Amino acid sequence: MPFVSVAGAEIHFEAIGQGPPLILISGMGGLASYWTPQLEPLSKLFRVLTFDHRGTGRSSHSQIEYSVELLASDTIGLMDALGIEAAHFLGHSTGGMMLQVISSRYPARVLSQVLYGTRGRTDEFTRRAMGMRKEIVLGVGVDAYVKSTPVFLYPSRWIADNTAELARREELAIKSSAAPAILASRLDAVLRHNQIDALPRIKAPTLVTCARDDFLTPIYYSEELAELIPRAKLSFVSGGGHACSVTNPAEFNEIVLEFFRSVTEERAASSARPRG
């Protein structure tokens, strides 16, 4: 299993495919495996890199105060360790928050980005929804936290129709989970997130997307991001909840692929134009 050392932590990563680098950053769960439905189509165009966040999965479960900025810095450290000067990115939820930090603070490292099911700031809805999840993990425990998570991530019908798949995912999440204090600190990190003032500084070609029925990051968050990021494109998945890349992968993958194809074609055309 490949690991790299980043700022006192061991970060587990996986890579598949050939071509320009594309880094997929998962959400609060932090697991590389979240992106399984995207690996086959994306790896036809890119060398796709996935990783477990610090504090999740097979990466170090560091007993520290977490922040979105720290996790963004870990991503840059991973790139440095692997010799990746710049990459395309796809970030979900917490991963999209990390991308806002990366693309505003390290613009040269970002060739293009998809911000998926994420937000630029914390409002009262987020404080209640994520605060409730923190109360569950600290007051009841990891098992209850993991088993309550599908209510936030998936449409009710998908939950009703996928009992076996949910059980498999929950078993994996519980087995790889960090201690409650680490989970709570990671939740505090996203509760502090506010990048509204930084969004207008983002230069990278950007697509903002989410499902129209996303409960955890409703569409007004995506509309706000697209309004504040210069020249950002906005495209909604017709349905699938907060984790529509899992529940509606065909539509999600096509929207993402169309964006990345257009970006790479434009870069190729720009490179071919005579200079001077």
Side-chain angles (χ1 to χ4, degrees):
M1 294 184 189
F3 290 84
V4 295
S5 296
V6 176
E10 294 297 305
I11 304 296
H12 170 261
F13 72 95
E14 299 174 5
I16 182 174
Q18 300 294 325
L22 168 61
I23 300 175
L24 311 185
I25 312 178
S26 53
M28 178 55 61
L31 300 179
S33 60
Y34 175 78
W35 298 109
T36 298
Q38 283 65 59
L39 294 182
E40 190 272 334
L42 290 177
S43 64
K44 292 179 179 178
L45 297 177
F46 298 99
R47 179 173 180 256
V48 179
L49 181 74
T50 58
F51 65 99
D52 294 343
H53 295 192
R54 182 197 298 256
T56 73
R58 287 164 284 187
S59 293
S60 296
H61 291 188
S62 306
Q63 299 276 353
I64 57 173
E65 181 178 345
Y66 283 81
S67 68
V68 172
E69 290 76 12
L70 170 73
L71 296 173
S73 178
D74 281 348
T75 307
I76 295 296
L78 175 64
M79 294 174 71
D80 290 343
L82 297 177
I84 300 173
E85 187 172 321
H88 301 275
F89 286 89
L90 165 56
H92 177 229
S93 198
T94 302
M97 298 177 207
M98 293 159 60
L99 263 183
Q100 294 163 43
V101 175
I102 293 169
S103 59
S104 62
R105 296 188 182 184
Y106 309 93
R109 312 301 294 265
V110 182
L111 300 174
S112 70
Q113 62 178 353
V114 177
L115 303 178
Y116 150 45
T118 191
R119 55 184 171 80
R121 62 186 173 91
T122 297
D123 62 8
E124 184 58 26
F125 173 76
T126 295
R127 280 187 283 272
R128 288 176 179 269
M130 301 306 282
M132 183 187 309
R133 298 182 74 188
K134 180 181 175 182
E135 288 184 20
I136 291 171
V137 74
L138 291 178
V140 187
V142 169
D143 286 25
Y145 172 79
V146 169
K147 290 177 180 178
S148 70
T149 293
V151 175
F152 296 92
L153 267 59
Y154 308 122
S156 53
R157 183 58 184 264
W158 193 90
I159 293 173
D161 291 344
N162 289 273
T163 303
E165 175 63 13
L166 280 173
R168 185 191 70 80
R169 287 174 176 271
E170 288 167 357
E171 181 181 8
L172 174 64
I174 291 170
K175 188 178 298 184
S176 64
S177 177
I182 292 176
L183 292 173
S185 184
R186 285 172 55 81
L187 288 161
D188 280 337
V190 300
L191 282 165
R192 292 191 300 268
H193 178 70
N194 188 338
Q195 288 291 310
I196 289 296
D197 292 342
L199 297 178
R201 297 200 299 270
I202 293 175
K203 307 297 185 186
T206 300
L207 171 68
V208 182
T209 189
C210 74
R212 290 192 176 276
D213 60 353
D214 188 330
F215 167 73
L216 194 57
T217 53
I219 62 172
Y220 71 87
Y221 288 143
S222 290
E223 291 169 341
E224 183 173 63
L225 287 169
E227 180 179 349
L228 292 173
I229 296 172
R231 297 173 297 283
K233 298 178 180 179
L234 178 64
S235 181
F236 293 116
V237 180
S238 61
H242 186 58
C244 61
S245 59
V246 173
T247 60
N248 190 3
E251 184 180 353
F252 175 86
N253 291 348
E254 185 51 41
I255 288 172
V256 168
L257 280 166
E258 182 180 356
F259 170 73
F260 283 131
R261 285 192 196 105
S262 69
V263 168
T264 53
E265 288 169 4
E266 174 59 29
R267 287 179 63 85
S270 177
S271 298
R273 293 187 191 112
R275 298 180 182 272

